[in-house]
Amino acid sequence: MSELDSRIHAYDEVGRLAELSLLGRLDTSFRFVEPVAARCGAARLSLRARPDALSPQVSEALPGEALEIIVQRPDGWAWLRTLHDGYLGFARVEGLAEQSVAPLQRPPLKITALRGHVYAQPSIKAQKVAEVCLGAELAGGSGEMVSEGGRQWLAVEGGFVQAVCAEPLSDTDSAALALRFVDTPYVWGGRSAWGLDCSGLSQLVYAAFGRGLPRDADQQQAALRPVGTARRGDLAFFAGHVGVMLGAERMVHANATQMAVSVETLGEGEYGKRLKAGLLGFGRWPV
């Protein structure tokens, strides 16, 4: 069983429970369960290492992201998987969207702004009812477009969001997008512009251009093609850390040293020297 990565393979040795896909890889003392489709609700959903609000956050599901429920517990916690990267964690079930038997009438609205809000009415003076972020997917409402003070609003499930928050990104430069996150707070397990960690940043800026990456730095390193010299948009890898290269030496990364997203030059200054000494290598898309 040692070859199974517990970050992406759902099995509980103590409770002898596992997801159905592991049937045949685990012994018959396990009870195998079929995951159930779900999605994140209107707010970011914290995935934790254990079903305990004080346990470490391991990742986040963004509003509207597709999930699987491995097990729903009677104490209000669920063992979940984020489908875009296969990552596991525990979250409160009240953070899940209500399941509807009717298919969505309209495709979800993909948010491209770093941060934003859903408003109760199409007005900047209206009550804010939810936070949104880059990568969130809002279920379409009536499809109504409303003009207000020269601004365009789109009706979504639960309210209205300004159309500017869903405009297509202007180019495909992941490094330029990463730079827009500078000064964003560092949050362990975070995946949004409200707070993120190192691999959350690299995952977000790659995903914005259709290049899916796994969740953690070591997984991302294994997924990319190793290269000896960095160019813009490559990822730089360290023990438990990753950054987005702006060129051969400069890097933007979310880090707990500055407690924010910042730019460093490898080999320059005390922190840059430590980073260069711990550099494991660079990775490039495509594989």
Side-chain angles (χ1 to χ4, degrees), residues 31 83 99 111 139 143 212 225 242 276 287:
R31 178 169 65 92
L83 286 186
Q99 294 300 300
I111 298 299
R225 176 167 59 91
V242 59
K276 187 167 185 177
V287 178

Side-chain angles (χ1 to χ4, degrees), residues 238 245 248-251 264-279 282:
F238 312 82
M245 295 302 293
E249 299 291 338
R250 293 178 70 238
M251 178 182 77
E264 263 77 42
T265 300
L266 299 179
E268 184 176 288
E270 180 184 351
Y271 189 24
K273 289 176 181 176
R274 294 206 320 264
L275 286 168
K276 187 167 185 177
L279 180 66
F282 303 106

Side-chain angles (χ1 to χ4, degrees), residues 221 227 235-238 278-283:
Q221 184 173 15
V227 291
L235 298 188
F237 294 103
F238 312 82
L279 180 66
L280 299 176
F282 303 106

Side-chain angles (χ1 to χ4, degrees), residues 14 16 36-37 39 54 66 71 76 169 177 187 232 241 246 273:
V14 176
R16 309 308 287 175
V36 176
R39 66 184 177 94
L54 297 181
V71 176
L169 294 169
L177 181 56
V187 173
R232 188 176 179 89
H241 189 58
L246 302 174
K273 289 176 181 176

